[in-house]
Amino acid sequence: MKIVVLDGYAVARVGELSWRDLECFGEVVIYDHDEPDNTVARLKGADIAITNKVIFDRNIMLQVPTLKLIAVAATGYNVVDCQAARDLGITVTNIPSYSTDSVAQMVFAMLLNITNRVQHYADENRKGRWSSSPDFCYADFVTHEIAGKTFGIVGMGNIGTKVASIAHSFGMKIIATTHRDQESLPSYVIKADIEKLLAESDVISLHCPLTPATEHVINADSIKKIKQGAILINTGRGPLIDEQAVADALHSGWLSAFAADVLSVEPPAADNPLLHAPNTYLTPHIAWASIEARQRLMQIMKDNIRCYIEGHPINVVN
């Protein structure tokens, strides 16, 4: 059994985790980063390919006739043409629900940084600002409590549900767009349509999957329906928002702040309008990547491969 890891750095990182734990299943060849021109050559003789962001289209799969399993090291599996894999008898698996706590934690790290400006004051005090203050305290911003505010969640999957639980613990009112019935939601979550959510939410957090229906769900027109002064957070997928429209809303002050862990193109171009928009807080797609989440990912990956080899595959998406 030959296993090839095509882009292992993001999950394992140097010295933190190791793909070598998979050697119990056979030969393991590890590449930290993919080189598109060499993908097929690197997969020569592979029975199992592990990919995080490397794209597997029909052409790639046709050139690797030994391939039996594509194990996606992520929850989203849009990097694989699943129909082509099915046609060619290749199983595709993913890693569900490994990063729920990690992503939900990032949502509130972002929100609290916006409302309380912890990083700003820490930076100022390193410069001696507090030491030279004539008063025992100083304030550069008006601070607002989040208790009592309305938190709007677009999408109530595992992460959205966890975010709702945390928001409830902070004393926030929660409304959400979801395909679930009201009766199946936690008692503190009120189901709403997108128009109501946009109009009433003080904070909007995006947790829906990226589909043709949700692409640019936040755009120039929908922003006009957002409550003026709202905070927008995106830890879902970059294309859920029209980046130029959000940047314009930040410059005009219609949105008071925007935080995101994802952008439409990663890494972003230097002229991405959000890189220079006011009151914008961007992290480099790391919400999923706590050490605990990546350890869970590794364990689920190992289980996926073991179960496939034993003849009863799990987490199959095609």
Side-chain angles (χ1 to χ4, degrees):
M1 184 71 64
K2 181 178 180 180
I3 301 170
V4 176
V5 181
L6 287 169
D7 54 346
Y9 175 78
V11 173
R13 301 183 188 172
V14 177
E16 291 186 3
L17 300 172
S18 176
W19 292 104
R20 294 295 175 191
D21 289 346
L22 300 178
E23 290 181 344
C24 60
F25 301 121
E27 178 188 2
V28 179
V29 180
I30 302 164
Y31 298 98
D32 283 338
H33 302 94
D34 180 52
E35 295 178 2
D37 292 341
N38 294 326
T39 299
V40 171
R42 289 177 169 185
L43 288 170
K44 184 177 181 180
D47 302 283
I48 297 172
I50 296 176
T51 175
N52 184 273
K53 293 292 185 287
V54 180
I55 293 174
F56 276 77
D57 57 20
R58 185 180 294 270
N59 180 54
I60 292 288
M61 289 181 258
L62 284 170
Q63 295 181 76
V64 190
T66 58
L67 196 59
K68 303 177 183 68
L69 172 66
I70 300 173
V72 181
T75 300
Y77 48 90
N78 56 300
V79 296
V80 180
D81 182 337
C82 288
Q83 183 58 56
R86 185 180 179 88
D87 293 344
L88 295 169
I90 300 170
T91 300
V92 182
T93 61
N94 76 332
I95 313 289
S97 304
Y98 73 94
S99 64
T100 298
D101 289 339
S102 186
V103 176
Q105 179 175 308
M106 178 64 87
V107 170
F108 287 91
M110 289 173 161
L111 177 57
L112 295 174
N113 186 53
I114 290 168
T115 58
N116 292 67
R117 306 292 182 123
V118 173
Q119 186 63 54
H120 167 80
Y121 288 114
D123 289 344
E124 287 296 298
N125 293 339
R126 288 191 192 95
K127 300 173 187 175
R129 175 88 177 274
W130 197 6
S131 300
S132 61
S133 173
D135 300 301
F136 78 95
C137 70
Y138 68 93
D140 295 330
F141 305 96
V142 175
T143 301
H144 295 280
E145 295 178 350
I146 61 175
K149 302 297 191 297
T150 298
F151 196 110
I153 300 174
V154 181
M156 281 287 285
N158 290 326
I159 296 173
T161 300
K162 182 69 176 185
V163 167
S165 174
I166 299 170
H168 176 63
S169 297
F170 273 110
M172 303 185 80
K173 175 185 174 183
I174 298 127
I175 58 177
T177 64
T178 176
H179 295 301
R180 295 163 61 181
D181 296 330
Q182 179 66 60
E183 294 72 24
S184 69
L185 297 172
S187 60
Y188 48 80
V189 177
I190 304 301
K191 182 174 179 176
D193 59 28
I194 188 67
E195 286 76 14
K196 179 180 175 68
L197 184 146
L198 296 176
E200 297 185 6
S201 298
D202 299 293
V203 181
I204 299 168
S205 193
L206 305 180
H207 299 288
C208 55
L210 178 61
T211 68
T214 61
E215 185 173 4
H216 287 189
V217 66
I218 303 298
N219 54 52
D221 289 333
S222 62
I223 286 172
K224 295 175 184 176
K225 302 174 183 178
I226 291 177
K227 182 178 182 179
Q228 187 170 7
I231 296 168
L232 177 64
I233 301 173
N234 184 17
T235 56
R237 291 289 184 267
L240 293 175
I241 70 160
D242 179 328
E243 292 173 346
Q244 186 62 61
V246 170
D248 291 343
L250 290 160
H251 282 287
S252 72
W254 191 265
L255 288 175
S256 67
F258 173 65
D261 186 56
V262 288
L263 292 174
S264 58
V265 176
E266 297 171 349
D271 62 353
N272 184 300
L274 290 171
L275 293 176
H276 307 290
N279 300 316
T280 299
Y281 304 86
L282 303 177
T283 52
H285 206 141
I286 56 169
W288 65 279
S290 67
I291 185 66
E292 293 85 359
R294 288 182 290 121
Q295 286 170 338
R296 281 191 292 272
L297 185 155
M298 285 287 204
Q299 184 57 56
I300 297 170
M301 175 66 73
K302 191 172 182 179
D303 292 342
N304 284 352
I305 293 173
R306 174 179 54 78
C307 289
Y308 173 79
I309 292 172
E310 291 175 352
H312 51 91
I314 59 173
N315 298 319
V316 176
V317 296
N318 70 328

